[in-house]
Amino acid sequence: MQQPEPMSTAEPEAEVAPPSADEPLLRDLFSFSAGDATFAVFAEDVEATAERGRPAKQPHAPPAVLGIVSVRGRMVTTLDPLALTNGAGGEWPAELPCVVALRGDEQLALAADSLGETITIASADIEPNVETGGSNQAILGIARHGGQEIAVLNTANLFSAAVRRRERRRRRF
């Protein structure tokens, strides 16, 4: 004798059509400003934001590393986006106006003068950065929104971009 199949009370799953090749892949960017520049990171890479962070300076840190800041009880290494992108760091006050904490094992954050809005753009609208010829690994590309040029940062390469300019000299015996 066959046993009856158990009744399912779950709702049937809706069929989701895969995106067609004609539809652009949309991405949310979280924007912020530092100095005269506007930067953005993918919104899914942002863990939290905080206002008024006082970084604890680190001895022998590269210029792009401003120090360690506590954001929601988590200690994050705060980077200067200006130093990451153009090599010349910004003039930051002792207490940073804003901090953008990022997700990930590296526990990084970015200093900001002000926080912007989250904007949605097509991935195809992020143009490769031709000014640096791909030599700047911190910049993923350039997006234009509302008449502004926004440098989209590559969060996967921020730490290596911060320490790459500093070459440590080894003592030879």
Side-chain angles (χ1 to χ4, degrees):
M1 179 171 191
Q2 287 185 348
Q3 292 187 347
E5 290 184 30
M7 260 179 63
S8 173
T9 59
E11 297 281 327
E13 291 185 24
E15 294 281 328
V16 178
S20 70
D22 297 339
E23 293 180 28
L25 177 63
L26 299 178
R27 301 293 303 262
D28 289 334
L29 295 176
F30 180 82
S31 64
F32 60 95
S33 66
D36 294 335
T38 302
F39 298 96
V41 293
F42 292 117
E44 65 261 16
D45 293 338
V46 176
E47 177 80 23
T49 59
E51 292 184 6
R52 308 222 187 284
R54 184 178 295 270
K57 302 287 184 193
Q58 300 300 299
H60 310 294
V65 177
L66 296 174
I68 305 294
V69 173
S70 175
V71 177
R72 293 187 179 177
R74 187 172 150 218
M75 304 307 278
V76 291
T77 303
T78 306
L79 305 177
D80 179 354
L82 296 168
L84 290 170
T85 56
N86 64 18
E91 293 294 322
W92 293 96
E95 189 171 80
L96 299 174
C98 301
V99 177
V100 179
L102 303 173
R103 296 183 193 278
D105 294 335
E106 291 177 327
Q107 297 183 359
L108 297 177
L110 295 163
D113 286 322
S114 65
L115 302 177
E117 60 184 341
T118 300
I119 58 175
T120 302
I121 64 167
S123 291
D125 291 341
I126 301 174
E127 303 167 7
N129 189 7
V130 293
E131 290 178 14
T132 61
S135 65
N136 191 334
Q137 59 189 1
I139 299 177
L140 181 67
I142 304 296
R144 287 174 178 70
H145 179 73
Q148 279 187 316
E149 191 171 276
I150 302 170
V152 180
L153 300 177
N154 186 351
T155 57
N157 293 340
L158 291 180
F159 185 76
S160 59
V163 297
R164 76 179 152 89
R165 298 182 196 280
R166 181 177 176 108
E167 293 190 22
R168 299 189 67 122
R169 295 181 186 215
R170 292 188 211 177
R171 221 170 143 185
R172 299 190 190 259
F173 295 100

